[in-house]
Amino acid sequence: MFEKMKELITQYVEVDADSITEESRFIEDLGFNSYDIMCMLGDAETEFDVDIDEEAIMKCKTVGDLLEYFGGQK
């Protein structure tokens, strides 16, 4: 799941996939803006076959947070 998430992230921001870690913060480290995050989350819903609760997802600040959230949806 982590490798697929890295591929998805690199479609939205210019960052080397090898530099993405589970501790990477979407805004501060990866350079996402709020629009990019929302678009990526829409694609992630499809890619990982999950339903995203907007309130809960706002607590996800890092790649690892998001992966943990998706893991709990399966």
Side-chain angles (χ1 to χ4, degrees):
M1 185 182 286
F2 181 55
E3 292 302 315
K4 284 190 177 194
M5 179 58 70
K6 290 189 335 183
E7 290 175 25
L8 191 59
I9 289 168
T10 60
Q11 293 176 22
Y12 286 91
V13 291
E14 291 186 31
V15 62
D16 187 294
D18 292 332
S19 70
I20 300 170
T21 67
E22 289 193 24
E23 291 79 31
S24 297
R25 298 169 297 174
F26 288 104
I27 295 171
E28 297 88 344
D29 300 327
L30 300 176
F32 273 86
N33 62 41
S34 58
Y35 177 77
D36 289 335
I37 289 173
M38 296 310 292
C39 291
M40 187 213 40
L41 290 173
D43 286 345
E45 276 186 305
T46 302
E47 180 71 32
F48 298 107
D49 192 30
V50 295
D51 292 320
I52 294 176
D53 176 66
E54 289 184 30
E55 284 187 40
I57 205 70
M58 290 303 146
K59 296 176 184 171
C60 295
K61 304 295 182 197
T62 68
V63 174
D65 291 342
L66 189 58
L67 291 170
E68 186 176 314
Y69 176 80
F70 288 162
Q73 297 293 305
K74 294 276 178 180

